[in-house]
Amino acid sequence: MHIKEAKKQIHHAIIAYSAKNAAGKPRIPAEAQRPVFLVGAPGIGKTAIVKQIAEEMDTGFVSYSMTHHTRQSALGLPYIVEKEFGSKKYSVSEYTMSEILASVYEEMEKTGKKTGILFLDEINCVSETLAPSMLQFLQYKTFGRHSVPEGWIVVTAGNPAEYNDSVREFDIAMLDRLKKIEVEPDFEVWKEFAVKTGVHSSVLSYLTIKPQNFYKVSTTLDGKSFVTARSWDDLSRMITIYEENDLECDHNLIAQYVQDEEIAADFANYYDLYRKYRSDYQVSEIIEGSVSEEIVKRAAKAKFDERLSLISLILSSLEDQISETMRFEEGMKNVIADVKAMNAPYAESFAQRAEYWQKQSMETDTEVHVERALSTMRLERQIGSALKESDDRETLKKELRVLLDSFAETNEKAQSSLRNVFGFMEKAFGQSQEILILVSELTIRPDLAGYIYAHGCDKYYEYNDRLLFEDQQNTLNERIEALNLKTLEEI
């Protein structure tokens, strides 16, 4: 199955394992809670989806790779205690708490979250001496005398043997204690994740054109040749930072991540073209509505691959602008919510709230949330600074009005940009598939879709209705064909 379906299966398993009876005890006892065992090629996002589930369920998350663990580090170190049995005293071996379980308790202390997911990666690469203890752990959720805290669910992962020389094939006894899920790479599923996390538009457009280059592992005379989802994700981050610092993103850099020579060379050539299109097509002018007729004619004559690259460039520029608008709007909502709870002196209150939002930005590892928290912080500081001269309710209202007016202008600019993009697309391509591709991309990009849902866009709704109609028509045609085939078979 693909990674999105696997995510659903894990999510459902966690709900089932968390179910309690009337007495507040787990309906499925710990020893019967089979850990999910995700098996799939490296770099397809196994760890990422488990972490996403933890974030979405607002629960704790601890991740460990089992490849470096010895029996002692996983089980704990032995020590001697004196115990009395009958009338005699004996020296008995006990074990310190496992490093892994200690990390779970540390996470609970740090976050205050009493439930969570303990994710153990590469469990089919454990050493021979650790294997018996892992078997016990997978069934009873204990290392030595210490158990996984109640409310914590175990999820595991590993690579198939053909991808990792260290893999040990599990016997039936081990497999019979796991919920095995085999995961396959799927570009369309990864793309949903990629647009949410801001993967560079050159990577997205290239793989949209050549999805067969999304994932590939092969053996050549020179050794292993591969490219994975992780390769593209990590390369995307480097491209973004290189561009921000005016560094050259060349074949040498790309080949460090895309370790398939043919695909690396192909993407390097595409990236050069992509940068050329970004310059030649005057994307900023398209967004502003001042693009020349020459550019419109060039787009109309372009090949399909070039058109897809242009759409990607337009979407990237549009997303930058509208994401900023969305951050401004969310910041204003946070400010207004804070104001309702404030009493004079207001300047001091705004300074405190600005510190709070700055702290929030440092406590999240999601870039989108960081930017939104910082946007609120900047607005709080702006108002607080204005109130230093005259700290009263009327001045506060005046400053809020200035910000609201500023947002109204920003919002109108975003609306104008959407109109300009659709206007350009209609001029260049008419009522063609390119506009439907644009609409599909607007639908799957969270900030763009969220903005349109909140503020509307007539052209989007017009073409989206057409796209939905065509999808329904295709489904109807498939049903008719299936019915015709069944009828012929019966005859």
Side-chain angles (χ1 to χ4, degrees), residues 143-285:
F143 277 129
R145 293 171 57 88
H146 304 281
S147 302
V148 175
E150 185 176 327
W152 279 72
I153 307 300
V154 179
V155 178
T156 68
N159 301 137
E162 61 264 32
Y163 296 106
N164 192 328
D165 294 337
S166 302
V167 166
R168 300 172 64 253
E169 290 292 340
F170 282 163
D171 56 24
I172 292 176
M174 185 73 86
L175 289 173
D176 197 36
R177 287 165 170 78
L178 297 165
K179 280 169 57 72
K180 184 179 179 182
I181 298 176
E182 295 187 359
V183 189
E184 298 290 337
D186 186 301
F187 168 65
E188 290 301 327
V189 171
W190 176 81
K191 185 177 179 180
E192 291 183 30
F193 159 80
V195 296
K196 290 177 183 176
T197 55
V199 166
H200 196 275
S201 55
S202 64
V203 172
L204 281 173
S205 59
Y206 172 75
L207 293 176
T208 299
I209 296 166
K210 297 185 177 182
Q212 70 274 16
N213 290 345
F214 167 60
Y215 198 100
K216 183 180 177 183
V217 178
S218 59
T219 302
T220 68
L221 293 174
D222 298 323
K224 293 287 186 183
S225 175
F226 63 91
V227 57
T228 69
R230 184 187 294 126
S231 305
W232 293 115
D233 194 30
D234 292 345
L235 175 60
S236 164
R237 290 189 176 94
M238 289 301 287
I239 292 173
T240 300
I241 294 172
Y242 268 48
E243 289 183 347
E244 289 173 355
N245 290 277
D246 293 324
L247 301 174
E248 184 182 3
C249 179
D250 58 12
H251 177 267
N252 291 327
L253 173 71
I254 292 165
Q256 294 164 28
Y257 293 87
V258 180
Q259 297 185 51
D260 179 294
E261 183 54 38
E262 185 178 338
I263 296 175
D266 192 45
F267 178 71
N269 291 333
Y270 174 81
Y271 180 72
D272 288 341
L273 278 174
Y274 186 85
R275 293 182 65 189
K276 185 175 185 300
Y277 296 152
R278 183 161 53 192
S279 172
D280 291 353
Y281 272 107
Q282 304 168 7
V283 173
S284 59
E285 281 82 355

Side-chain angles (χ1 to χ4, degrees), residues 120-168:
L120 303 180
D121 200 5
E122 310 290 0
I123 67 161
N124 53 353
C125 293
V126 297
S127 64
E128 189 173 345
T129 56
L130 180 55
S133 298
M134 279 301 301
L135 184 64
Q136 179 192 35
F137 175 79
L138 293 173
Q139 178 158 7
Y140 297 105
K141 318 303 180 292
T142 62
F143 277 129
R145 293 171 57 88
H146 304 281
S147 302
V148 175
E150 185 176 327
W152 279 72
I153 307 300
V154 179
V155 178
T156 68
N159 301 137
E162 61 264 32
Y163 296 106
N164 192 328
D165 294 337
S166 302
V167 166
R168 300 172 64 253

Side-chain angles (χ1 to χ4, degrees), residues 57-61 108 112-117 150-153:
M57 298 183 76
D58 192 25
T59 193
F61 178 76
M108 293 169 69
K113 295 174 180 177
K114 302 303 180 186
T115 62
I117 300 171
E150 185 176 327
W152 279 72
I153 307 300

Side-chain angles (χ1 to χ4, degrees), residues 93-111:
S93 294
E94 289 196 2
Y95 287 87
T96 59
M97 180 177 284
S98 159
E99 173 190 332
I100 297 170
L101 296 185
S103 295
V104 173
Y105 283 100
E106 287 171 1
E107 176 73 3
M108 293 169 69
E109 288 289 327
K110 183 176 74 173
T111 65

